[in-house]
């Protein structure tokens, strides 16, 4: 067996594989206005019913995921909003539509990414549970991993060694 296939890589959805705002932009303006700030001034855009189904992939994300899935033991690790049940379904549908066979039964939804065992977590966020992840956190969107090209270069260097 290919030794790299023992390396577990988790990949986040929102703003890692999925362009979150591309979905928000397709929602009616009145809906966006209602969810942009709740009564406490908190951004609730991820609670718009059906919003996740409308989202487009990030640039290069689909090809990057396919490549990672070919070389490593790769899973999707995302958090779905507690108060938006349609998001849980929409995320599954998004993964089936855009990632297909490479992601078959490889979707994990959790509010505690630190509890998952693995080597790498590719995630744009630095939320507390992500920082506690025991493998290496690859923070996409931040130097030196500013985009998918940079992330793939890093993983290609692992395969070559
Ligand atoms: Mg994210």
């Amino acid at each position: 067996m290919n030794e790299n296939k023992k390396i577990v890589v988790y990949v986040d959805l929102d703003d890692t594989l999925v362009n979150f705002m591309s979905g928000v932009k397709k929602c009616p303006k009145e809906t966006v206005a209602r969810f942009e700030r709740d009564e406490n001034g908190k951004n609730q855009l991820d609670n718009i019913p059906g919003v996740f189904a409308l989202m487009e992939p990030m640039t290069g994300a689909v090809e990057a995921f396919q490549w990672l899935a070919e070389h490593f033991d790769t899973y999707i690790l995302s958090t779905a909003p507690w108060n938006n049940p349609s998001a849980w379904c929409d995320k599954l549908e998004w993964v089936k539509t855009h990632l297909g066979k490479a992601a078959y039964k490889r979707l994990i939804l959790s509010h505690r990414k630190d509890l998952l065992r693995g080597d790498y977590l590719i995630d744009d966020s630095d939320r507390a549970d992500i920082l506690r992840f025991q493998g290496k956190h690859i923070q996409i969107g931040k130097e030196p991993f500013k985009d998918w090209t940079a992330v793939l270069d890093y993983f290609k260097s692992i395969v070559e060694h």
Side-chain angles (χ1 to χ4, degrees):
M1 181 175 153
N2 179 346
E3 284 300 300
N4 292 319
K5 278 284 186 185
K6 292 179 189 162
I7 297 175
V8 173
V9 179
Y10 297 108
V11 189
D12 170 50
L13 282 178
D14 301 337
D15 290 332
T16 296
L17 288 171
V18 177
N19 184 332
F20 183 83
M21 284 311 287
S22 69
V24 174
K25 281 183 188 148
K26 291 181 192 167
C27 295
K29 279 204 172 66
E30 315 77 70
T31 309
V32 175
R34 192 148 39 91
F35 284 87
E36 233 163 11
R37 278 169 170 273
D38 66 2
E39 54 276 20
N40 303 314
K42 203 171 171 265
N43 179 322
Q44 299 281 5
L45 288 173
D46 62 355
N47 282 329
I48 298 175
V51 67
F52 287 92
L54 304 171
M55 295 176 187
E56 312 276 349
M58 297 288 280
T59 306
V62 170
E63 300 75 10
F65 183 85
Q66 301 294 342
W67 187 87
L68 287 169
E70 239 170 72
H71 293 86
F72 303 97
D73 192 12
T74 305
Y75 299 83
I76 297 137
L77 178 53
S78 176
T79 305
W82 196 248
N83 294 319
N84 187 358
S86 77
W88 296 67
C89 294
D90 291 343
K91 282 178 183 248
L92 171 62
E93 285 302 332
W94 193 97
V95 164
K96 284 185 177 179
T97 303
H98 294 277
L99 304 177
K101 202 168 153 260
Y104 178 67
K105 295 191 175 179
R106 285 175 174 267
L107 171 63
I108 301 163
L109 297 176
S110 174
H111 284 76
R112 285 290 305 276
K113 296 189 180 184
D114 58 318
L115 296 181
L116 277 293
R117 216 189 298 172
D119 301 287
Y120 295 94
L121 170 57
I122 305 168
D123 202 308
D124 65 294
S125 171
D126 58 0
R127 202 175 65 196
D129 61 308
I130 293 163
L131 294 180
R132 284 197 304 267
F133 175 72
Q134 294 201 352
K136 184 173 168 65
H137 175 206
I138 305 284
Q139 193 175 10
I140 190 166
K142 281 246 166 89
E143 289 295 345
F145 303 112
K146 65 175 176 20
D147 56 19
W148 271 111
T149 307
V151 172
L152 277 192
D153 283 348
Y154 177 82
F155 281 94
K156 281 175 183 165
S157 75
I158 295 172
V159 170
E160 280 155 18
H161 284 116

